[in-house]
Amino acid sequence: MLLQPIPTATLAAGRSSGEAPFPFRRRCRRHMLLPIRADSTPISLSASAPSRPAKPAACTADELHYAPVDGAGWRLALWRYRPPRNAPVRNHPLMLLSGVGTNAVGFDLSPGASFARHMSSQGFDTWIVEVRGAGLSTREYDDSAPSGSVTFEDVSGGIQPLNKQITFEATSLQSSGGYASDCDDLGIVALDEPPLLAELSNFFDRIAKLMEEAVVNGNFHEITEKVSVLSEMVESSTIIGPVREESLRLLKNFQDQLDSWERFVATQMNLTSEYNWDFDHYLEEDIPAAVEYIRQHSKAKDGKLLAIGHSMGGILLYAMLSRSGFEGVSSNLAAIVTLASSIDYTTSNSSLKLLLPLAHPAQALNVPAVPLGMLLAAAYPWASCPPYLFSWLNPQISAQDMMHPELLSKLVSNNFCTVPAKVVLQLTTAFREGGLCNRNGTFSYKDHLQECQTPVLALAGDKDLICPPEAVYETVKLIPKHKVNYRVFGKPQGPHYAHYDLIGGRLATDDVYPCIIEFLSRHDGC
């Protein structure tokens, strides 16, 4: 009897019939294979055996694995992309780590804009790690995802929200009936009638202030009454036609967002135990579990991995190197690439300084988790369409004309999750003297980077407002010069690169990816 992977056709047939494609053993830690006879006929298995749930449509990887975190009660979702047969042969698997409050989607936005798929096409056995609380990672008591691995056919369909705890459906302002053709009318009416322009400007200014008041004070019932007053104002105002209809619709949209936020706040006490982890839990428990799992299931000759980290993912890699330098042990990383990452923001004008007010302990107790995914999904329609109340949001993510609008919308709507306040609070130490430190403030992660023995490529975007080039360099200069390469993408006259453009920008495939591949290839030898 031979053991062979399940054919794609078999999987497709199982999914289309509504049945799970094959059985599994919940405690199995090995790659799961369907017994096949020598004549390629599948062996009939007991009907009483439990069935593996169908693969979530959100997962567009070749395989979906679950790595247990011993003692933590979590199983981390690992998205695996196998190299095609004609790809170059590599010596080390590649691990991808994403930013704070994000999942695997950012590395695999679509078949034509997939960093993970591109790296696998270059011969790298590519794994995206979703840390606890992100994407498809589950708690041990969740029976929907067994430990082990499952092989699936590639699915390039629509990506669904991955955050199970809180989901928010974002609706574009242009999705309402007829509004796409009325946008110009809105501007023409306002420009032709100065009194209407002033009244409309005042109207949206009052909405913006109400939103800020609701978030800061939590006085949802009072805000609801004020929104009702605004609705009456619009009903009785001189605004007519599409302007009036759109104003009323925006008010309804705003009211729905307030309701969602109020429901979230009402469950905060229950979330305290659900989101009880910090950055050090990722570093000390999740990443080691993922690294060990990947080592066991890949063909690394020396047991080492290549790794790429974006934003907080790169911070985790820097922290790993600092820890290994302090302990005088190998990092088990053959080389790393950091994208828009730093462990010291003190000299930069990063927009993440907006997180600093959250550092007050009382605020952390009142808000144990920040619904980043819900907030961004709610804000995005207001940032991308008239009246552009949140026009500041898009440049935080992507520079002008660097991402296709549909991909940017997919990224904002599907890539972000809920973040524990403890994670946010620990990350704010990167803005204080000494840079990022551990949870009790006794270890600074920048102190031992000078002992780094792992080759590092640090990349920055010239228009990155979250992690500006000066922040990236603040960490780079701590690493021995013969071990680090530093580069800033973007030109004075354009094109420019913002925070996500290094991964998903329209020019990244031609500009950024070759730089990364050349560096990793150079350090892939055993």
Side-chain angles (χ1 to χ4, degrees):
M1 182 177 71
L2 302 176
L3 288 180
Q4 299 180 5
I6 306 174
T8 298
T10 302
L11 291 166
R15 181 164 54 251
S16 62
S17 63
E19 298 176 356
F22 59 87
F24 68 90
R25 296 183 182 274
R26 291 187 184 281
R27 299 302 176 187
C28 179
R29 294 293 189 264
R30 296 180 178 274
H31 186 78
M32 304 184 70
L33 300 172
L34 182 67
I36 303 289
R37 290 194 181 93
D39 61 359
S40 299
T41 303
I43 295 175
S44 176
L45 299 175
S46 172
S48 62
S51 298
R52 176 64 169 90
K55 170 198 168 190
C59 182
T60 51
D62 298 325
E63 301 169 11
L64 177 61
H65 293 240
Y66 284 95
V69 183
D70 292 340
W74 279 95
R75 289 176 291 189
L76 308 181
L78 307 181
W79 298 35
R80 187 180 192 179
Y81 302 77
R82 285 185 175 272
R85 293 181 179 179
N86 60 348
V89 177
R90 305 293 182 176
N91 294 313
H92 300 93
L94 174 63
M95 177 177 67
L96 306 183
L97 302 177
S98 60
V100 60
T102 61
N103 52 47
V105 172
F107 284 122
D108 191 9
L109 276 173
S110 73
S114 173
F115 180 73
R117 188 69 64 186
H118 186 93
M119 296 307 292
S120 69
S121 73
Q122 297 300 309
F124 296 101
D125 183 7
T126 304
W127 301 70
I128 305 176
V129 177
E130 292 186 319
V131 295
R132 65 184 70 189
L136 298 176
S137 292
T138 65
R139 292 189 180 274
E140 286 287 354
Y141 55 68
D142 185 350
D143 290 335
S144 64
S147 296
S149 64
V150 184
T151 303
F152 295 101
E153 69 172 25
D154 177 46
V155 177
S156 59
I159 297 176
Q160 302 299 321
L162 300 185
N163 183 16
K164 296 182 179 180
Q165 290 84 359
I166 296 175
T167 58
F168 187 94
E169 183 177 355
T171 55
S172 170
L173 294 180
Q174 293 186 352
S175 63
S176 61
Y179 179 57
S181 61
D182 288 338
C183 289
D184 291 338
D185 293 340
L186 178 63
I188 293 173
V189 171
L191 292 174
D192 288 346
E193 301 289 342
L196 291 184
L197 177 61
E199 187 170 357
L200 200 61
S201 175
N202 177 64
F203 168 71
F204 289 122
D205 181 62
R206 293 175 68 179
I207 287 183
K209 290 180 179 178
L210 288 177
M211 294 179 74
E212 180 179 358
E213 183 180 345
V215 172
V216 173
N217 301 325
N219 52 337
F220 297 99
H221 294 296
E222 296 178 19
I223 299 300
T224 299
E225 293 178 1
K226 293 179 180 179
V227 171
S228 299
V229 172
L230 278 176
S231 298
E232 294 175 1
M233 181 194 80
V234 175
E235 290 282 2
S236 60
S237 72
T238 58
I239 299 177
I240 59 174
V243 175
R244 180 174 178 275
E245 295 300 322
E246 184 58 26
S247 299
L248 290 173
R249 197 182 69 78
L250 284 174
L251 276 175
K252 176 63 168 61
N253 183 282
F254 173 54
Q255 181 64 64
D256 292 341
Q257 294 169 25
L258 275 180
D259 292 342
S260 297
W261 177 254
E262 182 176 14
R263 287 193 298 271
F264 176 80
V265 172
T267 61
Q268 288 298 289
M269 295 308 295
N270 295 331
L271 291 174
T272 302
S273 59
E274 290 290 317
Y275 290 90
N276 190 27
W277 67 84
D278 55 24
F279 175 87
D280 284 351
H281 284 100
Y282 297 148
L283 177 65
E284 298 168 0
E285 299 179 9
D286 292 10
I287 304 306
V291 168
E292 183 59 28
Y293 188 95
I294 295 171
R295 289 175 62 186
Q296 291 180 3
H297 290 76
S298 297
K299 299 178 180 179
K301 296 180 181 179
D302 58 1
K304 293 185 177 182
L305 278 65
L306 298 167
I308 300 175
H310 175 253
S311 196
M312 189 189 74
I315 296 176
L316 283 167
L317 295 177
Y318 282 138
M320 290 175 65
L321 298 185
S322 182
R323 280 286 191 187
S324 63
F326 171 73
E327 297 170 0
V329 298
S330 171
S331 66
N332 288 323
L333 298 172
I336 72 166
V337 179
T338 64
L339 309 173
S341 304
S342 178
I343 55 176
D344 189 348
Y345 288 80
T346 54
T347 62
S348 72
N349 192 29
S350 168
S351 59
L352 285 183
K353 289 183 177 179
L354 296 173
L355 296 176
L356 293 180
L358 294 175
H360 193 282
Q363 288 179 293
L365 292 175
N366 290 333
V367 185
V370 179
L372 182 62
M374 184 186 77
L375 293 175
L376 288 178
Y380 182 71
W382 302 71
S384 303
C385 301
Y388 302 105
L389 295 180
F390 292 156
S391 58
W392 51 267
L393 176 60
N394 287 1
Q396 303 288 327
I397 301 172
S398 178
Q400 186 175 2
D401 298 328
M402 277 299 284
M403 287 188 71
H404 190 282
E406 290 184 4
L407 291 181
L408 180 58
S409 177
K410 183 182 292 186
L411 179 72
V412 174
S413 301
N414 296 280
N415 187 51
F416 297 93
C417 311
T418 297
V419 187
K422 288 185 176 181
V423 172
V424 176
L425 293 175
Q426 189 171 351
L427 290 176
T428 60
T429 64
F431 291 88
R432 301 171 186 166
E433 184 177 357
L436 181 71
C437 62
N438 64 351
R439 66 171 64 95
N440 53 22
T442 59
F443 186 90
S444 173
Y445 289 114
K446 63 183 288 186
D447 286 348
H448 297 279
L449 284 179
Q450 71 270 18
E451 299 159 25
C452 172
Q453 297 300 313
T454 302
V456 177
L457 173 63
L459 304 182
D462 66 326
K463 293 298 182 181
D464 191 335
L465 303 178
I466 293 176
C467 188
E470 57 267 26
V472 176
Y473 183 72
E474 195 68 21
T475 298
V476 167
K477 69 182 185 182
L478 301 173
I479 303 171
K481 292 183 178 180
H482 68 285
K483 288 293 182 180
V484 64
N485 291 277
Y486 170 61
R487 181 171 175 181
V488 179
F489 281 89
K491 301 177 181 179
Q493 304 302 321
H496 300 294
Y497 284 80
H499 198 59
Y500 265 92
D501 294 330
L502 294 172
I503 299 175
R506 62 182 177 84
L507 300 179
T509 303
D510 296 327
D511 292 350
V512 184
Y513 295 4
C515 176
I516 295 174
I517 293 168
E518 188 277 331
F519 174 81
L520 294 181
S521 300
R522 189 163 16 111
H523 298 285
D524 184 47
C526 292

